[in-house]
Amino acid sequence: MVSGEEVSSLAVNTQPAQAAADERIREVGVLSRLMARPELGALVAVVVVWLFFAVVAADNNFISWATTAAILNRAAPLGILAIAVALLMIAGEFDLSIGSLVGFGGMAIMMLVTPVEAGGFGWAILPAIGVALLITLATGFFNGVLVVTTKLPSFIITLGSLFIFRGLAVAVPRSATNRTQLGGLDEVSGYGPMDAILGTKLELFGARFDVAIVWWIGLTIIATWVLMRTRVGNWIFGVGGDNVAARNVGVPVNRLKIALFMTTAFAAFLSALIQAFQFNGADSLRGSLKEFEAIIAVVIGGTLLTGGYGSVIGALLGTLIFAMVQQGIIITGVDGDWFKVFVGGILVAAVIFNNFVRQQATKR
Amino acid sequence: MSEPILEVQNISKFFGSVIALKDVSMFVRAGEVTCLLGDNGAGKSTLIKVLSGVHKPDEGVYRYQGSEVSFSSPRDALDLGIATVYQDLAMIPLMSIWRNFFLGSEPTVGWGPFRRFDVDFAKRTTREELGKMGIDIRDPDQPVGTLSGGERQSVAIARAVYFGAKVLILDEPTAALGVKQAGVVLRYIVQAKQRGIGVIFITHNPHHAYPVGDHFVILRRGQIYGDFTKDEIPLEQLVQMMAGGADLEVLSHELEKAAEGGGPGADELEKVAEGFEAEARGEAD
Ligand SMILES: Nc1ncnc2c1ncn2[C@@H]1O[C@H](COP(=O)(O)OP(=O)(O)OP(=O)(O)O)[C@@H](O)[C@H]1O
Ligand SMILES: [Mg+2]
């Protein structure tokens, strides 16, 4: 046992050596260290699912750039949602309204750019995006304020929001324009440059990759950095681990939660925006069930439903699994109905596996 | 005598129909230790939660460094240099030691959008500060939930000492500690006092309170029962007051009766009874 004075006088760079010499530590292998990472289970699952389809769908060109592009294109809009949902879930809250906000945000943009004759506002594209973004962020603010002031479970509050915002996304355009699908985005002034950053496809290896993939991966990197290396990241873990304790040591719990609900609203908006460019318009029903798919992706990625533990990389891997299974089932020609069975099975397996891993990791 | 650095007057706190505190007044001066003593449920933790900004008092005045304050969260108190070790420690079990140590007060490096948590500094400081307490942590990345109870308490104390620039509030900090670490905590309290910090120290152990305390506030059922300086009250009397001398006498009689019945362990019972009797008389051990 080294006494306190000795420890404090030790130079910084000698400390790892001193730690290694501690007789109470035994060498743990690389595997055990990996086991302590939340995304390990998802990483294993990505490999397993990929190998599975690589064998089963070998005749259907599963291992090809075209299929890879199709998987990633499918994953990106969901992946963007899953990033924000992961941050919120690590902080111990749910947002069930995120899917509705995809429909809501898309319709907000399209309502603003639709010509006045057709019942819209006839705005140019940039101001429309700006204002629609503000409106969607306000919905996140609304969710957040309601959760922190009522102290009710966010599951219930946002379940209400799920219906409110889906309802608005259908009712408002229908009463103004008589339609629940609005198209013609490419005719709006200012379309070109925005399409270049949101809607284009990149030709690589003879396949077409959506630019959305760049957004997805870029935001994953940023969110991972925020989570692991900033004050806010530390607060997110703290608040999810123990709300009261975090407040007692000075974390601005309420402001953080409101900001995170606004982050999920932002993710919903970005996903809606990208899809508006991909589909040249919006649909009131876009994003239906995405709230559950995002939660599933995040949980497969190793994030605890109860908060306090998880990773954004895991959410990316979980989304990837989701998209691989979906694409794999399509190209093998298996009836699409089986997709749900498969996804449900993976979800349960992931939760069991993650639970096991976490127990191992904290047992030591 | 100097002015108190922290002072509350006629503070009351209600939880629905529960009156947790009624008309409580107390103070601590810079460079002094105020010991807060009292039975389980007397309201000690509630009082320090008012002081640390967790609860807003329903009645009364809170003065800090001469001016009236009203904290809306513990952040406000921390910003004024008031740090607290809560009875439940306020630790996040799934988070690593270094993340817990700096939670809510993270040091940063970098500028603007690149401002980030100074992880190296945090890990190094955590190791150093715990080292000073005689806790030699194996690995700062270890989740706090896997630490022993005493180790966890030591982390909470080291954290408060590190951040408590002006006032340090300790709610039963020695409860789970070994003799050596309890000694370290008492030494910390003395050091803090010498640095001019005001310390509020809650404990059930009069032998921990008496050597370091300058005055002793006794709470009973949510109200102030007494406030004594060290000159006014000898240790024996403090012990008796805290133990509720009469209760201990009754207990020792019961034990004696059991011992008279004979049987295995009678001798030990007798000894225990004698011990209680001595304590009830207020003898220090
Ligand atoms: N949030 C709350 N809601 C309702 N009652 C409370 C609350 N907090 C404390 N109380 C009550 O106030 C009283 C004082 O509690 P407190 O925790 O301050 O006691 P204490 O003196 O710290 O006791 P101990 O020595 O056991 O720690 C108790 O009767 C408790 O039940
Ligand atoms: Mg208490």
Side-chain angles (χ1 to χ4, degrees):
Chain A
M1 184 87 182
V2 187
S3 85
E5 287 69 27
E6 277 169 285
V7 170
S8 59
S9 64
L10 281 172
V12 182
N13 56 4
T14 65
Q15 279 174 359
Q18 178 235 341
D22 193 321
E23 78 284 2
R24 300 163 304 170
I25 296 195
R26 79 196 152 87
E27 275 304 312
V28 287
V30 180
L31 189 67
S32 322
R33 277 185 183 277
L34 268 180
M35 291 279 269
R37 296 292 319 151
E39 55 278 89
L40 172 80
L43 193 60
V44 172
V46 164
V47 175
V48 170
V49 171
W50 191 84
L51 286 175
F52 174 81
F53 283 110
V55 173
V56 172
D59 301 339
N60 309 90
N61 254 341
F62 186 79
I63 310 179
S64 68
W65 283 113
T67 302
T68 306
I71 291 171
L72 294 177
N73 290 347
R74 193 178 279 285
L78 176 63
I80 290 170
L81 302 182
I83 294 167
V85 169
L87 295 178
L88 185 68
M89 275 177 64
I90 295 170
E93 301 289 349
F94 286 99
D95 187 353
L96 295 183
S97 72
I98 192 165
S100 297
L101 289 182
V102 173
F104 180 91
M107 289 314 270
I109 300 165
M110 290 312 296
M111 281 288 296
L112 291 171
V113 299
T114 296
V116 180
E117 313 85 79
F121 289 79
W123 289 12
I125 216 151
L126 257 182
I129 290 175
V131 170
L133 171 62
L134 288 181
I135 296 173
T136 314
L137 286 178
T139 66
F141 183 77
F142 168 82
N143 280 335
V145 168
L146 222 52
V147 167
V148 301
T149 52
T150 62
K151 297 191 167 44
L152 289 168
S154 50
F155 190 90
I156 292 299
I157 301 272
T158 59
L159 185 59
S161 309
L162 181 158
F163 285 94
I164 294 171
F165 295 118
R166 181 67 71 194
L168 286 173
V170 177
V172 174
R174 179 129 67 194
S175 58
T177 67
N178 270 326
R179 289 186 300 167
T180 58
Q181 292 176 325
L182 296 172
L185 186 64
D186 56 358
E187 288 153 23
V188 180
S189 79
Y191 173 82
M194 291 313 287
D195 183 58
I197 56 168
L198 293 164
T200 38
K201 293 188 176 291
L202 311 168
E203 293 272 354
L204 278 175
F205 315 109
R208 287 157 68 81
F209 293 85
D210 288 344
V211 71
I213 299 166
V214 177
W215 283 93
W216 173 35
I217 293 171
L219 288 176
T220 299
I221 293 168
I222 293 172
T224 298
W225 180 77
V226 168
L227 189 62
M228 303 308 291
R229 283 292 175 268
T230 68
R231 312 185 63 173
V232 170
N234 210 39
W235 296 349
I236 290 174
F237 281 116
V239 167
D242 187 336
N243 224 338
V244 175
R247 178 174 182 267
N248 285 358
V249 295
V251 176
V253 175
N254 290 351
R255 270 194 294 146
L256 179 73
K257 282 190 177 169
I258 293 171
L260 287 172
F261 277 104
M262 290 175 76
T263 306
T264 56
F266 174 79
F269 181 80
L270 185 61
S271 188
L273 184 63
I274 284 168
Q275 292 180 79
F277 279 89
Q278 285 174 351
F279 297 106
N280 193 28
D283 184 330
S284 292
L285 296 182
R286 191 155 344 269
S288 298
L289 292 181
K290 292 298 167 195
E291 56 281 342
F292 293 109
E293 294 181 7
I295 290 173
I296 290 170
V298 168
V299 170
I300 292 175
T303 295
L304 264 186
L305 275 168
T306 44
Y309 186 81
S311 108
V312 177
I313 308 269
L316 178 138
L317 297 172
T319 310
L320 207 51
I321 292 169
F322 208 91
M324 274 198 292
V325 172
Q326 220 168 11
Q327 192 64 23
I329 283 179
I330 289 172
I331 65 170
T332 43
V334 177
D335 192 341
D337 298 340
W338 290 99
F339 171 65
K340 287 187 179 148
V341 178
F342 212 151
V343 166
I346 289 185
L347 174 66
V348 173
V351 173
I352 292 170
F353 182 79
N354 287 339
N355 200 33
F356 168 76
V357 166
R358 205 182 46 263
Q359 278 169 359
Q360 292 300 312
T362 46
K363 210 191 279 168
R364 296 200 167 210
Chain B
M1 271 287 150
S2 61
E3 287 294 298
I5 181 166
L6 183 160
E7 181 178 24
V8 287
Q9 281 173 347
N10 304 101
I11 289 279
S12 299
K13 180 69 200 170
F14 314 119
F15 297 108
S17 62
V18 176
I19 302 173
L21 294 173
K22 184 72 193 158
D23 275 337
V24 170
S25 303
M26 66 157 288
F27 65 88
V28 62
R29 292 194 189 91
E32 284 194 5
V33 178
T34 296
C35 291
L36 193 54
L37 312 166
D39 270 346
N40 293 126
K44 305 182 295 296
S45 298
T46 308
L47 178 55
I48 65 98
K49 280 181 184 165
V50 168
L51 302 182
S52 64
V54 174
H55 296 319
K56 259 202 162 103
D58 293 308
E59 292 170 355
V61 188
Y62 188 162
R63 249 185 238 107
Y64 184 68
Q65 293 186 318
S67 46
E68 203 169 309
V69 288
S70 170
F71 298 147
S72 54
S73 81
R75 178 78 266 158
D76 297 343
L78 277 162
D79 288 342
L80 292 178
I82 304 173
T84 306
V85 178
Y86 297 94
Q87 194 166 12
D88 66 9
L89 303 182
M91 294 280 203
I92 318 287
L94 280 172
M95 283 171 84
S96 62
I97 301 171
W98 62 273
R99 279 187 179 276
N100 262 290
F101 195 97
F102 285 97
L103 181 60
S105 308
E106 295 82 359
T108 55
V109 283
W111 176 85
F114 302 104
R115 213 154 69 100
R116 59 197 180 275
F117 192 174
D118 192 346
V119 173
D120 293 336
F121 175 82
K123 288 189 183 177
R124 194 171 65 231
T125 308
T126 304
R127 185 182 280 282
E128 282 172 8
E129 293 302 313
L130 286 168
K132 287 182 203 162
M133 280 196 74
I135 299 285
D136 176 21
I137 49 172
R138 302 174 175 89
D139 173 7
D141 275 313
Q142 191 175 349
V144 157
T146 63
L147 292 177
S148 81
E151 284 174 330
R152 216 172 308 159
Q153 200 160 33
S154 301
V155 177
I157 294 165
R159 175 174 69 180
V161 168
Y162 185 76
F163 288 109
K166 299 240 169 69
V167 172
L168 186 59
I169 302 172
L170 305 153
D171 194 349
E172 297 190 34
T174 51
L177 296 187
V179 176
K180 179 177 160 203
Q181 273 76 16
V184 172
V185 171
L186 296 179
R187 206 171 71 219
Y188 265 32
I189 293 175
V190 173
Q191 282 169 0
K193 177 173 148 165
Q194 283 164 352
R195 282 204 309 266
I197 292 173
V199 181
I200 297 169
F201 177 34
I202 299 180
T203 177
H204 285 291
N205 189 337
H207 304 294
H208 285 169
Y210 200 75
V212 298
D214 291 298
H215 70 127
F216 305 89
V217 176
I218 300 180
L219 265 184
R220 206 166 270 185
R221 300 168 73 90
Q223 302 193 3
I224 295 285
Y225 175 76
D227 185 343
F228 309 94
T229 64
K230 204 168 191 162
D231 325 325
E232 288 169 354
I233 186 168
L235 175 60
E236 296 73 40
Q237 206 182 331
L238 187 70
V239 171
Q240 208 169 7
M241 222 178 263
M242 285 176 69
D247 298 345
L248 276 186
E249 244 163 72
V250 171
L251 179 60
S252 77
H253 283 312
E254 277 170 19
L255 287 172
E256 252 164 39
K257 260 193 215 134
E260 276 162 19
D267 287 352
E268 280 90 298
L269 270 182
E270 186 119 29
K271 259 185 222 142
V272 173
E274 273 166 21
F276 273 124
E277 226 162 58
E279 202 153 312
R281 284 196 305 273
E283 284 166 16
D285 54 16

